[in-house]
Amino acid sequence: MDRSFRIASQGMTTPTKASPSRTYEIFARWSTISYRHGAWVLLAALLVAVACGIYVSRNLGMNTDTTDMLSEHLPFRVNMKHYNETFPQDIDTMLLVVEAPTPEQARTTAQRLTERLKTDTTNFHDIYAPTAEDFFVRNGLLYESIPELAQITDRIAAAQPLIAHIARDPTLPAFADVLMRAVDEMNKGRSMELRPVMGGVSATLDARIEGSSRALSWQSLFNDEAQKNKYKQIIVVKPKLDFSQLLPAEQSTTALHAAARDVGITEGGPIRLHITGEAALAGEELKSSLSGMEIAGIITFVMVGMVLYFAMRTGGLIINVLVCLTMGLLLTAAFATAAVGHLNVISIAFAVLYIGLGADFAIHFLLRYREVLEGGPPPDEAIRVSGGDAGAALTACTITNAIGFYAFIPTDFSGVAELGIISGTGMIISLLVTLTIGPALLRCLPQPKFKESMPKSSVGKVLELSLKWHRVTYAATVAAALAALVILPQVRFDYNLLNMQDPTGDAVQAFRELIAEAEDSPWHSIALVKERKEAEDLAPRLAKLPEVSKVITIQDFVPPEQEEKLLLIEEMALTMGPIAISPRPEPPPGDIAARQRHALNALAAALDRFIKAHPDHSATETARKLKSSLASLFTRLDIASKDEQGKLLNSVEDDLLVTLPTALQSLRLATEAAPFGEDDLPVELINRWHSPTTGEYRVAIYPAEDLNDNDALRRFVRSVQQVAPNATGAPMVSLEAGEAVVKAFVQAFLLALVGIIIILLILLRSLKYTILVLLPLLLSSLFTASFTVLLGVPFNFANIIALPLLLGLGIDSSLHMVHRSLNNEMVSEVLIHTSTARAIFYSALTALVDFASLMFSSHQGTASMGIMLTVGLTFTLVCTLAILPVLLRTPAQGVRA
């Protein structure tokens, strides 16, 4: 060990020649008293901890209503509040997506589920299934255009004999026989469109052969359209939410799953239920976020323990850090209970922030104590010196941190304002706990003897490189800063709340599908007008906007040209006649499976004849697919036992004919359509478009672009607002809330920066050293912001919360270095080997492993927060320990804070 370092290290253990400050003397005496009366201090602390724990558990609430986290005076909040009061049934809703292989199954299941849920008034306020209502089934044909309705009438007329034959004998042999005859007629040259039915039968057979069920949709056949893979019905549910619970919709969600089982929706079955919408997304987000926190907590516990071991090297000091953290958390939680009364989904992060910054306080005090003790003084003298030194430095850090957090109080982001109140006060609590409980524990816990001389730490040896190559350090810093400034304009904020959630969550996936596929997308804007005439004037002006795909008002639910359409529907009713599905006849004596197999063989032969005779026909390819499906079925039957053959053929029969009764009933009901006006619409529908309380009309505006793109979202919102300034809805809320959050953080950062500069000027009494404290913070902020662009991780509603912590740690780290340099008149070559440098390194490393584990969370907001904190803390560490010592290369004049 070189001699100069040993001499300098001995000088670090006692106060400098400069007279101690008042802050130094206060905390020197405070820590000494705590040390001397350690047992009584710990007993009092234990009693206070128990009292705080009981008080918090009984009184601290949880408010998970995210709408309360922004000021209600913001224009978009005012508009949304007015809309919620006008149409209260639309707020905090769930969307139930009933998904089935056929439209018949989707509708009948949605009807049964709706009826079941309406009986549960304990868990639900309102149930509304718009497209499953009999009104739209009865009048559905009136919403078709006249040419489309004429085509449907012609198809029904052509298929009437076939439908009547199957309806009289709804069995597999009868169905196969009808289809065989139709193929033979087409083979003879008759013009028939059999591709939809052959394609549907082929897909149904393939699914059954693979072991699943895919019923044939007769409704699709009547409409002469290819059967899709799945059909959806939407049910709008307004659950009863309990915001005093962590998951407000949990009880309602449990009731939904129970109701689904009651109507036959089972896991793995052909009919599925997806629960999404505002309330479901909020619950799923909180679950995935908490799940990520649990995983992160386990990893962090192990990693922090390892870091503390390398920092402290003794079990007693590690226990000291953990006890101080626990006590500080309890006291801060008690303050939150008394001052605010509840936590929100943002202020709950106070615990994470406290661990990151509170550990910093304890580590600095304990490593300073160890450093002083290594110089040979008795423990009480070491406590006095370390308490005074650490107290003075930590007081400055506490003031700057508190200002940083309290700067959020006057912003419009009340969710973060509450976090600022709690965390800012938590810093003051951390200071007092560290210098009260810490010395008391040092008195009561056994401490090993430390060596009188201390070798250079590995941290210091690494940091020597930046001093040795200080010119390279200057050049690299300037180059990196210039590069970051070039990238900085590309920093962006992601306004899409869906992008923060777990992409594998059922609610998120279902919602994204609705946005992409559903005609009535839940992501649209809404304008409210007082008069019907105003709605009629506003709709066309909005529809002309290039960013708008369509605009819907209540008038759109009254179809035009009803008289002409009713004439075609009457013709359809006469063509159909009194077709009714007959019950399945009792099978005649003999081998049922043999008759079913014979009918299918005959169908396969007819297909073969058609394919050979008409290889270039438009229906030939579909016929080949059906023939191939039949061949696969025959192969499966040939290797099956007799019982298995019967079960398989009966399943095929069910798959092909199960929806026929429902389709015929719906078709028959549709022929009973009658003319109607707006007053004849269902009351539930009218109340969602014409408010019964205020008389206002709702105008729905749908985007032409994918609003997952932030630029498209901004274009849509701004263009709509030019025509309808008071428009609201999810797109407006997402964009305006995001801009309000960004504005709040910019405002808070500027306030904090001004306050911190003033405090630093008062404490340091030097513009030069104030700049030196701020420079690492500004550099690390610049580098972090630029890296969000390089990593493709934009700021969002979750990771922006990392900024207060990075601000606090950045100020703490650089202030500790400058404060130690000033008060001990220490050159950088010595400073980097002090307990201050080691404390900064291990404090940052503790926080780093605490937050790096968040990157592995399934919740994308939490994961992005972990990335932001990891990158930010890394740059803070580099700027403080590698760049700042280069700037502090000349010894400072003694100025005690």
Side-chain angles (χ1 to χ4, degrees):
M1 179 174 62
D2 67 63
R3 187 169 177 273
S4 62
F5 175 72
R6 292 186 58 177
I7 294 172
S9 66
Q10 298 298 323
M12 293 186 291
T13 62
T14 59
T16 62
K17 296 175 182 179
S19 59
S21 69
R22 184 176 300 177
T23 305
Y24 177 96
E25 292 293 346
I26 290 173
F27 282 108
R29 292 176 184 176
W30 180 277
S31 56
T32 300
I33 292 171
S34 295
Y35 180 78
R36 289 174 180 171
H37 304 282
W40 291 106
V41 171
L42 293 180
L43 177 61
L46 178 62
L47 295 175
V48 171
V50 172
C52 287
I54 295 172
Y55 175 65
V56 170
S57 64
R58 292 181 178 178
N59 297 281
L60 183 61
M62 182 69 194
N63 181 15
T64 54
D65 189 353
T66 54
T67 59
D68 288 341
M69 291 194 300
L70 285 166
S71 171
E72 61 181 13
H73 301 297
L74 292 170
F76 83 93
R77 286 286 317 270
V78 173
N79 294 336
M80 196 66 192
K81 182 180 180 182
H82 176 64
Y83 174 72
N84 291 341
E85 291 172 349
T86 307
F87 295 99
Q89 67 271 37
D90 287 345
I91 62 172
D92 294 326
T93 59
M94 290 180 175
L95 300 178
L96 310 187
V97 184
V98 178
E99 192 177 278
T102 68
E104 298 94 332
Q105 291 171 309
R107 186 173 68 83
T108 54
T109 304
Q111 286 177 327
R112 292 198 305 270
L113 183 58
T114 300
E115 292 169 2
R116 167 67 176 78
L117 293 175
K118 284 182 177 180
T119 63
D120 188 356
T121 56
T122 302
N123 295 298
F124 306 104
H125 290 290
D126 183 66
I127 311 295
Y128 176 56
T131 56
E133 297 287 340
D134 280 347
F135 174 86
F136 288 104
V137 178
R138 178 179 292 106
N139 298 291
L141 292 174
L142 290 174
Y143 290 96
E144 302 285 351
S145 66
I146 290 180
E148 290 172 343
L149 192 55
Q151 289 179 3
I152 293 173
T153 303
D154 292 341
R155 286 195 296 270
I156 294 295
Q160 193 276 342
L162 304 179
I163 297 171
H165 181 76
I166 298 172
R168 287 193 300 270
D169 184 13
T171 61
L172 179 58
F175 175 78
D177 182 65
V178 167
L179 186 54
M180 178 200 69
R181 294 182 184 181
V183 171
D184 282 339
E185 289 296 318
M186 191 167 60
N187 192 26
K188 294 175 183 177
R190 183 177 173 182
S191 177
M192 300 184 70
E193 180 54 84
L194 294 182
R195 284 178 296 178
V197 64
M198 288 193 296
V201 173
S202 177
T204 298
L205 292 177
D206 290 342
R208 177 53 61 184
I209 293 168
E210 293 172 2
S212 60
S213 174
R214 182 187 185 274
L216 178 67
S217 171
W218 286 84
Q219 179 178 317
S220 298
L221 296 181
F222 294 160
N223 293 335
D224 194 28
E225 59 187 24
Q227 184 175 338
K228 296 185 291 187
N229 291 328
K230 56 187 177 182
Y231 293 84
K232 296 176 180 177
Q233 286 282 337
I234 309 296
I235 305 173
V236 183
V237 174
K238 185 174 176 60
K240 292 184 177 179
L241 304 177
D242 183 2
F243 286 109
S244 65
Q245 300 296 317
L246 187 62
L247 298 171
E250 185 173 25
Q251 184 173 337
S252 300
T253 303
T254 301
L256 279 175
H257 287 298
R261 288 191 296 270
D262 290 345
V263 299
I265 302 176
T266 57
E267 187 174 354
I271 303 174
R272 299 182 180 181
L273 176 67
H274 302 285
I275 304 174
T276 188
E278 182 181 354
L281 287 168
E284 187 171 271
E285 179 177 24
L286 195 55
K287 278 185 178 179
S288 64
S289 180
L290 292 175
S291 174
M293 291 294 185
E294 291 170 2
I295 297 170
I298 296 171
I299 299 172
T300 300
F301 181 80
V302 177
M303 297 297 293
V304 167
M306 293 173 62
V307 173
L308 289 177
Y309 171 76
F310 285 110
M312 303 299 179
R313 298 290 182 176
T314 63
L317 296 183
I318 294 173
I319 292 173
N320 201 315
V321 174
L322 297 177
V323 171
C324 288
L325 279 177
T326 304
M327 186 67 190
L329 272 175
L330 278 173
L331 289 172
T332 305
F335 169 78
T337 306
V340 182
H342 63 263
L343 297 176
N344 58 55
V345 294
I346 289 179
S347 64
I348 198 173
F350 89 89
V352 177
L353 297 178
Y354 185 91
I355 291 172
L357 293 170
D360 182 52
F361 281 46
I363 290 172
H364 272 279
F365 167 67
L366 293 173
L367 286 184
R368 180 62 177 140
Y369 166 74
R370 175 173 175 165
E371 181 184 61
V372 175
L373 201 61
E374 287 169 342
D380 56 347
E381 175 63 14
I383 284 290
R384 189 186 72 80
V385 174
S386 58
D389 275 351
L394 292 176
T395 298
C397 293
T398 299
I399 294 172
T400 54
N401 272 325
I403 289 174
F405 284 117
Y406 288 152
F408 286 96
I409 296 175
T411 67
D412 292 324
F413 198 179
S414 58
V416 175
E418 292 177 3
L419 175 65
I421 294 171
I422 298 168
S423 295
T425 306
M427 295 301 96
I428 300 172
I429 291 171
S430 182
L431 173 68
L432 297 176
V433 166
T434 298
L435 296 176
T436 304
I437 307 298
L441 285 168
L442 289 174
R443 178 62 182 268
C444 297
L445 291 174
Q447 298 295 325
K449 296 292 184 180
F450 296 110
K451 297 178 181 178
E452 289 190 4
S453 61
M454 177 183 59
K456 290 184 179 182
S457 69
S458 55
V459 174
K461 290 178 181 178
V462 172
L463 296 179
E464 285 179 349
L465 296 175
S466 65
L467 293 174
K468 181 179 180 181
W469 301 94
H470 61 274
R471 296 179 186 275
V472 176
T473 302
Y474 278 127
T477 302
V478 172
L482 292 175
L485 286 172
V486 173
I487 298 173
L488 195 61
Q490 301 177 46
V491 173
R492 63 188 183 91
F493 187 92
D494 187 359
Y495 301 97
N496 190 341
L497 291 170
L498 277 182
N499 291 340
M500 287 174 34
Q501 298 194 213
D502 180 1
T504 63
D506 186 63
V508 173
Q509 290 182 338
F511 198 80
R512 288 194 184 279
E513 285 190 15
L514 286 179
I515 294 172
E517 300 175 8
E519 183 179 357
D520 190 17
S521 170
W523 242 3
H524 60 270
S525 294
I526 299 158
L528 298 182
V529 295
K530 295 182 179 180
E531 303 291 338
R532 183 196 308 271
K533 182 67 169 61
E534 190 177 352
E536 293 173 352
D537 293 339
L538 180 63
R541 289 194 289 131
L542 287 167
K544 291 179 182 178
L545 296 173
E547 295 82 7
V548 174
S549 65
K550 64 178 180 179
V551 179
I552 295 178
T553 67
I554 192 171
Q555 291 94 334
D556 293 307
F557 291 95
V558 181
E561 304 175 307
Q562 292 189 35
E563 291 185 4
E564 294 89 337
K565 293 176 182 178
L566 285 170
L567 291 175
L568 290 171
I569 292 172
E570 289 176 5
E571 180 183 341
M572 186 187 304
L574 292 172
T575 301
M576 281 185 58
I579 297 178
I581 193 77
S582 301
R584 291 191 183 181
E586 287 293 329
D591 191 341
I592 302 171
R595 284 194 292 271
Q596 292 172 326
R597 175 67 181 269
H598 177 74
L600 292 174
N601 284 332
L603 173 59
L607 291 168
D608 191 50
R609 289 192 296 271
F610 172 75
I611 293 169
K612 290 179 180 178
H614 304 279
D616 299 324
H617 195 280
S618 59
T620 300
E621 184 60 31
T622 310
R624 284 198 182 98
K625 289 182 181 178
L626 178 54
K627 185 171 180 280
S628 174
S629 298
L630 287 169
S632 299
L633 177 62
F634 297 154
T635 301
R636 178 78 176 274
L637 290 170
D638 291 339
I639 62 174
S641 65
K642 190 170 183 180
D643 289 341
E644 290 174 343
Q645 289 177 7
K647 290 179 181 179
L648 178 57
L649 289 169
N650 287 335
S651 296
V652 169
E653 184 175 83
D654 289 337
D655 291 342
L656 293 174
L657 299 171
V658 67
T659 68
L660 181 58
T662 303
L664 287 176
Q665 181 184 4
S666 298
L667 186 58
R668 192 162 46 246
L669 188 61
T671 60
E672 299 175 3
F676 66 90
E678 185 178 315
D679 294 337
D680 300 312
L681 293 170
V683 175
E684 289 181 323
L685 175 65
I686 293 175
N687 290 343
R688 280 169 165 77
W689 292 88
H690 183 200
S691 172
T693 55
T694 66
E696 291 177 274
Y697 289 86
R698 177 172 175 256
V699 179
I701 310 133
Y702 292 83
E705 298 180 272
D706 183 0
L707 297 190
N708 281 307
D709 179 76
N710 283 318
D711 292 334
L713 174 67
R714 184 181 296 277
R715 284 193 296 271
F716 173 70
V717 169
R718 297 306 181 215
S719 64
V720 170
Q721 287 177 334
Q722 288 179 358
V723 179
N726 295 326
T728 186
M732 274 66 180
V733 171
S734 293
L735 181 64
E736 299 288 359
E739 293 189 341
V741 168
V742 172
K743 181 181 177 182
F745 273 89
V746 170
Q747 178 185 345
F749 183 80
L750 293 176
L751 285 173
L753 190 60
V754 171
I756 288 170
I757 290 173
I758 293 172
I759 291 298
L760 289 176
L761 287 172
I762 294 172
L763 293 176
L764 301 177
R765 300 176 226 165
S766 167
L767 178 61
K768 171 186 174 182
Y769 288 102
T770 297
I771 293 173
L772 287 175
V773 170
L774 293 175
L775 197 56
L777 172 65
L778 297 177
L779 282 174
S780 62
S781 300
L782 177 63
F783 295 152
T784 302
S786 300
F787 251 70
T788 64
V789 177
L790 298 177
L791 296 175
V793 182
F795 285 101
N796 56 44
F797 291 91
N799 63 32
I800 201 169
I801 301 169
L803 297 183
L805 179 60
L806 295 175
L807 175 66
L809 286 172
I811 285 291
D812 275 7
S813 300
S814 57
L815 185 54
H816 277 299
M817 291 288 283
V818 172
H819 188 276
R820 187 70 185 273
S821 176
L822 281 168
N823 284 280
N824 293 97
E825 301 181 7
M826 194 174 294
V827 295
S828 294
E829 284 77 6
V830 175
L831 181 62
I832 59 175
H833 294 289
T834 63
S835 64
T836 300
R838 293 200 307 278
I840 289 171
F841 175 78
Y842 286 114
S843 295
L845 194 57
T846 302
L848 202 61
V849 299
D850 185 15
F851 302 127
S853 57
L854 297 177
M855 294 190 295
F856 303 102
S857 171
S858 60
H859 184 265
Q860 297 303 292
T862 303
S864 68
M865 185 190 298
I867 295 172
M868 194 77 67
L869 285 167
T870 301
V871 172
L873 286 174
T874 301
F875 281 124
T876 298
L877 205 56
V878 171
C879 292
T880 304
L881 294 181
I883 299 174
L884 184 58
V886 175
L887 303 175
L888 289 169
R889 291 180 68 239
T890 56
Q893 300 300 315
V895 179
R896 295 193 66 86

